[in-house]
Amino acid sequence: MYDVIVVGAGPAGASAALFTAKAGKRTLLIDSDKSITKKAWIENHYGVKEVTGPDLIETGIEQTKKFGAIVEKSAVTAVISNEKTVNVTTESSTYEARHVILATGILADIAEKSGIETVEGTEPRIKTVIKVDRDGKTNKPGVWAAGTCAGLSVHTIITAGHGAEVAINVISELNGERYVDHDILK
């Protein structure tokens, strides 16, 4: 069983998986390879002069792997929350985790199919988003959402930050105390 499964390896998902893996949580990152970031040219991401969307995604995935995340390329077909665990079904397998972070970008279809509450989106051309509380929790136990699918702006810097924020909240819940991740120059 995984501590955390992250669905989506765009900026929100890879950022979430990076934080959970770096915190020592057994992390699975599942990606369908359909992120809209793959079409982006980015010059407004703090700390990065310019980057293509595909390069940003690949760097994020490599960072998660550095800290031990397992990455699977597959489409998720269902997310079923039980009281203590969450099952994530892909085209070929079913995985179990204590927590799941949905970071599915502009798509909320998996959430809708799985009975996770959605609301009308406020961003241009984003019709539906996952309803979350201020910490990123959905109406299903153990299921969280981050980034654009949780109603945030589509900008990569914003979704990456929200993925990190939700991951910190998940790690804090797993640890039973507030988690902080600060590295110091070596």
Side-chain angles (χ1 to χ4, degrees):
M1 176 166 58
Y2 290 93
D3 293 311
V4 181
I5 296 174
V6 179
V7 179
S15 183
L18 169 61
F19 272 79
T20 59
K22 189 169 183 275
K25 304 306 176 194
R26 190 159 187 248
T27 302
L28 173 63
L29 176 60
I30 303 173
D31 187 59
S32 67
D33 202 31
K34 295 180 183 174
S35 173
I36 64 165
T37 303
K38 288 230 168 191
K39 298 176 182 177
W41 172 254
I42 303 155
E43 292 185 83
N44 61 352
H45 196 105
Y46 176 80
V48 178
K49 290 182 182 182
E50 57 188 39
V51 66
T52 67
D55 286 344
L56 183 67
I57 289 172
E58 188 56 37
T59 298
I61 291 170
E62 290 304 315
Q63 285 178 296
T64 70
K65 289 179 180 178
K66 173 184 175 183
F67 293 107
I70 297 167
V71 178
E72 180 186 327
K73 296 283 186 191
S74 189
V76 170
T77 58
V79 176
I80 307 300
S81 174
N82 306 307
E83 287 305 309
K84 296 184 183 197
T85 62
V86 183
N87 290 327
V88 175
T89 303
T90 67
E91 299 160 315
S92 60
S93 300
T94 298
Y95 302 97
E96 184 178 49
R98 294 172 66 191
H99 295 275
V100 170
I101 301 172
L102 298 174
T104 54
I106 62 171
L107 303 174
D109 55 335
I110 295 304
E112 290 178 309
K113 290 178 195 173
S114 300
I116 297 165
E117 192 174 349
T118 59
V119 295
E120 187 175 324
T122 57
E123 286 288 301
R125 297 177 297 282
I126 311 280
K127 294 183 185 203
T128 306
V129 297
I130 300 167
K131 184 178 180 182
V132 297
D133 69 10
R134 64 184 287 272
D135 294 327
K137 290 182 180 181
T138 72
N139 65 310
K140 298 291 184 178
V143 181
W144 308 64
T148 303
C149 74
L152 272 74
S153 169
V154 298
H155 296 90
T156 61
I157 191 71
I158 294 169
T159 61
H162 194 243
E165 178 183 7
V166 172
I168 293 294
N169 294 337
V170 170
I171 297 163
S172 296
E173 190 162 305
L174 285 166
N175 290 351
E177 63 183 9
R178 190 70 181 157
Y179 175 77
V180 177
D181 178 0
H182 288 291
D183 294 326
I184 297 178
L185 288 174
K186 296 175 185 176

